[in-house]
Amino acid sequence: MRPEGSSGTSGGELVVPMAWMYAEYIADELLRTGDLMPPTTLEFRAGRNALALTIFLSDGAVGGARVVARLDEWSSLTAAGRPWRRWVCSRLRRLAGDQEQGPDLEMARTAWRWLEETELLATDLEAVVPGGVDPRADEEDEPRVWTPAWELGLPLGHLAIHLF
């Protein structure tokens, strides 16, 4: 990371986005513990970014035993039918005026841009009829649709919280 600026506000030290990095670490651990998919996949990245945003924007990451205490809050924020996308946009706008968030906020914005701009090919859950899928059929026979990464990552993150 580059120093904050030449105005001397950083004391010549590197500015490290610790709050974001810690939120991302917690999200990564939750997903790895859930063992839902290999960590090298784009789906894993989508889940990690969605969870990290949730953790970071819900008033920051917390350490130790307090992580367990926050799981219910994060689960509620990521639950199906909740206005998660609107909540993320609102929180990012609110933090934009806070000068203390500097590199952390920039990392969060980068993660959000990736989640919004990246589309992943996923099973079209609206086209799948319960009991209508032949378990012997190839994956290629499943109806698929391009989905914004956040729409796939959010339920993965939610499930990872429940599996922790």
Side-chain angles (χ1 to χ4, degrees):
M1 295 259 119
R2 289 179 280 155
E4 187 174 354
S6 58
S7 65
T9 57
S10 68
E13 299 175 17
L14 293 178
V15 178
V16 179
M18 292 304 294
W20 173 259
M21 290 173 64
Y22 192 61
E24 196 172 48
Y25 168 76
I26 292 170
D28 193 81
E29 287 298 309
L30 287 170
L31 282 165
R32 285 177 190 267
T33 301
D35 197 26
L36 297 170
M37 64 198 45
T40 56
T41 63
L42 289 174
E43 291 84 358
F44 184 92
R45 180 178 176 187
R48 184 184 62 219
N49 281 355
L51 265 179
L53 274 168
T54 303
I55 294 165
F56 177 75
L57 295 174
S58 65
D59 298 324
V62 293
R66 293 183 58 204
V67 168
V68 175
R70 302 284 301 272
L71 289 175
D72 285 340
E73 175 187 358
W74 300 334
S75 177
S76 174
L77 288 167
T78 59
R82 296 293 306 252
W84 184 82
R85 182 183 182 281
R86 191 172 6 151
W87 176 78
V88 167
C89 293
S90 169
R91 296 289 294 175
L92 287 172
R93 276 193 306 274
R94 186 179 316 150
L95 289 175
D98 187 359
Q99 298 300 324
E100 294 178 25
Q101 293 295 331
D104 290 303
L105 182 57
E106 188 54 40
M107 297 286 286
R109 282 184 177 155
T110 299
W112 177 240
R113 269 192 306 276
W114 186 87
L115 284 168
E116 277 214 309
E117 295 171 2
T118 303
E119 290 190 344
L120 303 173
L121 191 59
T123 300
D124 184 359
L125 297 178
E126 292 181 14
V128 175
V129 178
V133 176
D134 183 358
R136 297 168 292 185
D138 291 334
E139 280 186 31
E140 294 177 9
D141 293 339
E142 294 178 350
R144 295 184 166 276
V145 64
W146 288 100
T147 306
W150 73 267
E151 286 185 16
L152 184 60
L154 189 61
L156 290 173
H158 183 76
L159 182 56
I161 291 169
H162 284 281
L163 293 174
F164 184 71

